[in-house]
Amino acid sequence: MIKVWDYLEEYNLLRKDILEAVDNAFKGGTLIFGPKVKEFEEKFASYCECKYGIGVGNGTDALYVALKGLGIERGDEVITVSNTAVPTVTAIVSAGATPVFVDIDQYSLMDVNQIEKMISKKTKAIIPVHLFGQTCDMDPILKIASMHDLKIIEDCAQSHGALYKGRKAGSLGDVGCFSFYPTKIFGAYGDGGFITTNNEEWYDKMNRLRFFGMERKTMSTGHWNGKYYCVEYGPDTTNSRLDEVHAVILLLKLPYIDQWIDRRREIGEIYKKNLSETELDLPKEAPWNRHGYYIYVVAHSERDKIMQELVENDIHLNISYPWPIHIMEGYKYLGWKDGDLPVTEKRAKTIFSLPMYPTLSDEKIKTTIEVLKELLKKYN
Ligand SMILES: Cc1ncc(COP(=O)(O)O)c(C=O)c1O
């Protein structure tokens, strides 16, 4: 069987080190707010070229805490895309704000030319989603945000290590939000998330907001101590912490991140070389960035039939995402309808993702290409 994503080969590779690190974490005596979380926060923030980092429970929490930390309130509007994972929008709604959507460009990223016309008196922030491993075109977004006094929260859940004009995703806006969901470019062995910023005041505030609004102090041992005293307004706060056990695994994996992104890019090249003559619409790498290929998204008008036949050949693919958020039942109340975001809607009907993860073997890539090419002959 060929899966679109699998962690078991990576686990086989790192099993001994992971089990030893996890054992040490359990023996260390602190399971929450331990020294390894602190060490990871410093190291991953530094990898993202940021001064400050906060490990949280997942990427959705990272977005919620970032929105609250930047002062987003009930009645505010936040501009983002509908072509994203639902949590981008869930976080905006949980923060009490209203999501406002813009369509996407030829790279499936936020169309920066559509942002300004969606700005109203209520607009307070933009969430550019660095989707599939690429970054949005940040210079125009930064310019618009500065002209209209808007905050920028980068949704980097799918773009660890991606480079925009040589600078790291997560260091470009006011705050960066990451997910360590296992499938991600840099994933934990469970849930996890992260916030990056270069602003000390926001860092302090977000650190409190994700811990019931309490102040914490680092002790000489490297452990943290909560004072059981809330400084922040309750409903803006939550409980969201990266566990010590995930921190040790992420610390262990961090040195591999760039070589694994290189391998993803190599797999992307193999697909491109072998599939460019077919009718498949292949992903385009935006000129401003280094694509990390979180997923390799292709498009074809006969998507559903092709995927069905691939399953019959034991090749299991995925669609990210089959439904744009603005026309989902759960978000109907926002008042958007079919036809409002034509590029997003058209893409959702045709896209699917080929197998992509760093330990994917050349043999599995070859089989996927051969089976796919044979099938495509039928649908030309
Ligand atoms: C673009 C995007 N934003 C936010 C999230 C939320 O991350 P998590 O699943 O860790 O809450 C995800 C992950 O699913 C994502 O892909």
Side-chain angles (χ1 to χ4, degrees), residues 294-333:
Y294 165 52
I295 48 179
Y296 193 88
V297 180
V298 298
H300 195 285
S301 52
E302 299 289 354
R303 188 246 333 257
D304 295 346
K305 288 184 195 154
I306 293 170
M307 282 185 73
Q308 180 53 41
E309 291 204 48
L310 284 165
V311 169
E312 283 157 20
N313 281 277
D314 226 4
I315 300 174
H316 301 256
L317 306 186
N318 195 25
I319 305 174
S320 302
Y321 299 93
W323 295 103
I325 297 167
H326 69 285
I327 48 174
M328 286 182 184
E329 185 69 27
Y331 288 97
K332 250 188 188 160
Y333 76 97

Side-chain angles (χ1 to χ4, degrees), residues 32 83 115 123 134 161 191 198 211-212 221 271 278 319 325 346 368:
I32 304 281
N83 176 46
I115 298 173
T123 312
Q134 304 214 68
D191 274 316
N198 281 308
F211 185 50
F212 316 110
T221 54
Y271 281 141
T278 69
I319 305 174
I325 297 167
K346 189 171 170 212
T368 305

